[in-house]
């Protein structure tokens, strides 16, 4: 029974010492093999002859460690974690035990305690969420999945940009592709307008929870109050939009993005395409080849796309609409610009009433009342205050490129400035203008030549240069 609990080292010692006892090995050879002194080998031989082979085991085996944490401290720590920090990980729970309860315990020890108590389950043992496969829709145009993929589509030949993808759920065919600087409302309106002109109105679009598609301030009474600009445009055209709860739910377009990031990037590399305009011109050719290779036939041959009704205005729907109240002076503000309506008979009657500002993706802007466009002029088109624009994460790359250009322009303006002020620090060396490190040059007075060429002055100047920190 004792041999079962022995380590490999103990078993090796028993084997070697048995050979010494049997006379097949000398004591010196045994000491060399076991890496022990001859004196220690004699002690082990005496122990075997007195108490048997089981006495070779280390005496501390089976005994509790002298440095172990008492059971009371362990139970108290586990109780605190269970009552106060049940949803904390071991690392954060350990920090709180030290900070608030003065209980210092190693992170891995606490992890072991929490695991044994059933409070913590390692990531490897957690059950992954199961996503059941969903069958394709039956008809073409019944459900169209849309998504934006921000990627280095031109590799190192051009800027990072977004690709708006429209793919049919029933057939897996690409219906529209549009490259854009970022994933924003205007580009989605522009792309959706082109899609509707080519295919007609689908039954519904299927998207993620991006801010272009979904608003978090919906009203239970008014269906249109919580719509985004894109959702409002689809509502005017009687098209529904469904937001998926997880990326896996719209796996059709997610997998298509992976294929596009491989095939489309390489196709554009072979053709030398490095601008958004060239990529949009090439998109129809790629779509035709993609659909011929990967497209499926729908189970039902019926096309669910619907034509635009006579009362539906596609151009009027696919724009940004904001409601403004017209002042008594026939003015309104939109996008930090003051608009003044021409004093016509219609505009005079609208003082104090609401009008609609229609901002189109192509840059046009109209002020509408019912179906009438009101003539206007702008008063202050220059913005006096430049505030940082609040952007979401999918527009961050686009904004950073704009910021970099603005900063480069400011640096050029700074370098082309007028005369340097007295005492201004030199950009390169950190030495004050006209000085040698121990004073300022007076305005309009040139330094003395003999003073500037003085060896002592030159030495002090060199020391000042050496004291400057090196550029990182």
């Amino acid at each position: 029974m004792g041999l079962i609990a022995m380590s490999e080292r103990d078993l090796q010692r028993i084997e070697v010492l048995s050979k010494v006892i049997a006379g097949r090995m000398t004591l010196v050879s045994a000491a060399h093999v076991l890496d022990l002194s001859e004196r220690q080998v004699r002690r082990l031989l005496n122990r075997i002859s007195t108490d048997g082979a089981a006495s070779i085991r280390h005496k501390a085996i089976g005994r509790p460690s002298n440095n172990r944490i008492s059971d009371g401290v362990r139970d108290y720590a586990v109780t605190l974690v269970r009552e106060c920090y049940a949803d904390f990980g071991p690392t954060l729970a350990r920090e709180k035990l030290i900070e608030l309860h003065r209980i210092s315990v190693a992170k891995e020890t606490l992890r072991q305690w929490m695991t044994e108590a059933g409070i913590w389950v390692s990531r490897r043992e957690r059950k992954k969420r199961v996503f059941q496969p969903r069958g394709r829709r039956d008809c073409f145009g019944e459900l169209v999945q849309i998504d934006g993929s921000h990627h280095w589509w031109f590799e190192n030949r051009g800027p990072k940009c977004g690709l708006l993808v429209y793919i049919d759920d029933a057939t897996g065919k690409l219906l529209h592709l549009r490259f854009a600087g970022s994933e924003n409302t205007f580009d989605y309106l522009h792309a959706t307008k082109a899609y509707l002109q080519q295919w007609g109105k689908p039954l519904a679009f299927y998207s993620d929870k991006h801010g272009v598609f979904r608003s978090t301030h919906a009203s239970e009474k008014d269906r249109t109050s919580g719509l985004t600009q894109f959702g409002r445009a689809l509502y005017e055209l009687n098209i529904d939009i469904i937001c998926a709860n997880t990326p896996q739910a719209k796996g059709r377009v997610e997998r298509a993005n992976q294929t596009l990031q491989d095939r489309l990037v390489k196709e554009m590399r072979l053709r030398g395409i490095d601008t958004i305009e060239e990529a949009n011109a090439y998109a129809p050719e790629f779509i035709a080849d993609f659909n011929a290779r990967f497209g499926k036939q729908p189970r039902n041959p019926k096309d669910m796309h619907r034509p635009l009704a006579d009362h539906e205005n596609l151009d009027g729907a696919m724009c940004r609409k904001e409601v403004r109240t017209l002042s008594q002076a026939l003015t309104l503000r939109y996008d930090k610009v003051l608009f003044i309506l021409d004093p016509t008979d219609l505009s005079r009657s609208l003082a104090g009433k609401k009008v609609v500002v229609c901002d189109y993706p192509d840059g046009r802007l109209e002020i509408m009342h019912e179906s009438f466009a009101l003539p206007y002029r702008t008063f202050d088109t220059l913005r006096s205050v430049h505030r940082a624009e609040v952007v979401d994460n999918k527009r961050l790359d686009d904004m950073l490129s704009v910021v970099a250009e603005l900063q480069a322009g400011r640096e050029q303006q700074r370098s082309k400035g007028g005369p340097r002020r007295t005492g201004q620090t030199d950009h390169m060396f950190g030495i004050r203008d006209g000085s040698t490190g121990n004073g300022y040059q007076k305005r309009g007075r040139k330094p003395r030549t003999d003073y500037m060429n003085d060896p002592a002055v030159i030495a002090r100047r060199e020391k000042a240069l050496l004291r400057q920190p090196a550029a990182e």
Side-chain angles (χ1 to χ4, degrees), residues 136-411:
R136 297 174 180 268
R137 305 304 301 175
D138 293 335
C139 301
F140 177 69
E142 186 176 359
L143 183 68
V144 176
Q145 298 189 18
I146 58 177
D147 191 30
S149 177
H150 210 57
H151 185 64
W152 290 98
W153 293 102
F154 309 121
E155 298 173 304
N156 59 348
R157 305 184 309 277
K160 190 176 184 180
C161 64
L163 176 62
L164 311 185
V165 182
Y166 293 65
I167 187 171
D168 180 61
D169 187 84
T171 62
K173 293 183 178 181
L174 292 176
L175 302 183
H176 189 69
L177 294 177
R178 175 176 172 80
F179 288 89
S182 62
E183 192 176 355
N184 55 73
T185 300
F186 279 118
D187 283 307
Y188 268 110
L189 291 174
H190 195 285
T192 305
K193 179 180 178 181
Y195 173 90
L196 297 177
Q197 290 174 336
Q198 181 180 1
W199 298 100
K201 300 188 301 181
L203 196 63
F205 284 112
Y206 198 36
S207 69
D208 55 16
K209 294 180 180 179
H210 190 271
V212 173
F213 311 114
R214 180 176 179 265
S215 174
T216 58
H217 305 287
S219 172
E220 297 181 357
K221 297 181 179 180
D222 185 4
R223 182 184 176 188
T224 62
S225 64
L227 292 178
T228 62
Q229 290 291 334
F230 185 78
R232 187 265 318 150
L234 296 184
Y235 181 76
E236 290 184 9
L237 298 175
N238 194 22
I239 303 173
D240 282 280
I241 183 167
I242 304 172
C243 294
N245 195 40
T246 61
Q248 291 81 0
K250 54 183 186 65
R252 201 88 60 211
V253 70
E254 295 289 349
R255 289 189 294 271
N257 285 336
Q258 295 178 359
T259 305
L260 293 172
Q261 290 176 6
D262 179 38
R263 285 178 170 262
L264 182 54
V265 168
K266 294 174 181 176
E267 292 288 350
M268 291 193 296
R269 181 201 306 163
L270 295 176
R271 289 165 173 78
I273 297 176
D274 54 6
T275 63
I276 292 179
E277 293 74 15
E278 294 175 352
N280 284 328
Y282 167 67
E285 179 183 346
F286 178 85
I287 291 174
D289 180 73
F290 181 95
N291 293 339
R293 294 176 183 274
F294 305 110
K296 308 291 184 182
Q297 292 297 325
R299 287 194 292 265
N300 190 327
K302 182 179 180 181
D303 187 354
M304 297 296 291
H305 285 102
R306 300 160 293 163
L308 291 171
D310 296 337
H311 65 279
E312 293 174 341
N313 183 1
L314 180 60
D315 187 60
M318 289 298 163
C319 66
R320 181 182 182 88
K321 293 185 178 181
E322 295 284 351
V323 178
R324 293 290 186 271
T325 300
L326 197 61
S327 69
Q328 296 297 326
L330 304 182
T331 63
L332 61 91
R333 282 190 176 273
Y334 172 75
D335 197 22
K336 299 182 182 179
V337 177
L338 183 67
F339 294 89
I340 304 176
L341 269 62
D342 294 344
T344 62
D345 294 338
L346 178 59
S347 61
R348 288 193 184 97
S349 64
L350 298 177
K353 298 182 179 179
K354 296 184 181 299
V355 294
V356 180
V357 180
C358 300
D359 195 351
Y360 294 92
D362 58 5
R364 293 182 294 116
L365 191 140
E366 292 181 343
I367 301 177
M368 304 291 296
H369 174 69
E370 296 179 350
S371 59
F372 299 98
L374 305 175
Y376 66 88
R377 68 183 187 275
T378 58
F379 180 72
D380 54 345
T381 57
L382 296 179
R383 303 176 183 178
S384 58
V385 179
H386 297 277
R387 296 183 179 178
E389 183 179 359
V390 178
V391 299
D392 53 47
N393 59 338
K394 293 192 176 183
R395 290 186 57 198
L396 186 58
D397 288 334
D398 189 34
M399 286 301 300
L400 285 176
S401 62
V402 175
V403 169
E405 293 178 2
L406 293 176
Q407 290 177 350
R410 289 198 292 266
E411 289 294 337

